Amino acid sequence: VVHKVVGKTTIGERRVDKLRLVGRVPLGNRKKGANAIPWNVRVRGKKLPAGTYQVTLRALSGGKPVELSTPRTVRVR
């Protein structure tokens, strides 16, 4: 799942990123322990414009998410 960081907001006393959903990227099946995932920085066939994005990997089983990774921030120049 790819989100674009569009600003900051405050929740309580914490400042967090304000996000807008960009889309999902199917990365295919992986064997257990395969952590290197190639991605050409495209969503729905179009290259992402410059900006800051948050990428979260999901493990699916039967089309339903069973596990989420820690969100990673990616900067596209």
Side-chain angles (χ1 to χ4, degrees):
V1 178
V2 180
H3 291 93
K4 183 173 177 76
V5 177
V6 293
K8 297 279 186 184
T9 188
T10 304
I11 298 178
E13 295 181 5
R14 295 183 66 187
R15 287 187 49 97
V16 295
D17 294 333
K18 189 182 288 186
L19 304 173
R20 181 176 49 87
L21 180 66
V22 175
R24 298 177 302 187
V25 180
L27 297 173
N29 295 328
R30 298 281 175 257
K31 291 183 179 181
K32 184 176 180 179
N35 294 323
I37 299 173
W39 179 40
N40 60 2
V41 193
R42 290 179 184 268
V43 177
R44 286 185 247 126
K46 296 182 180 178
K47 206 164 193 177
L48 291 175
T52 304
Y53 297 88
Q54 193 177 73
V55 179
T56 306
L57 300 178
R58 299 187 304 175
L60 302 175
S61 178
K64 296 181 182 178
V66 292
E67 195 168 346
L68 296 172
S69 71
T70 303
R72 300 292 180 190
T73 301
V74 176
R75 187 170 173 199
V76 177
R77 295 178 183 228

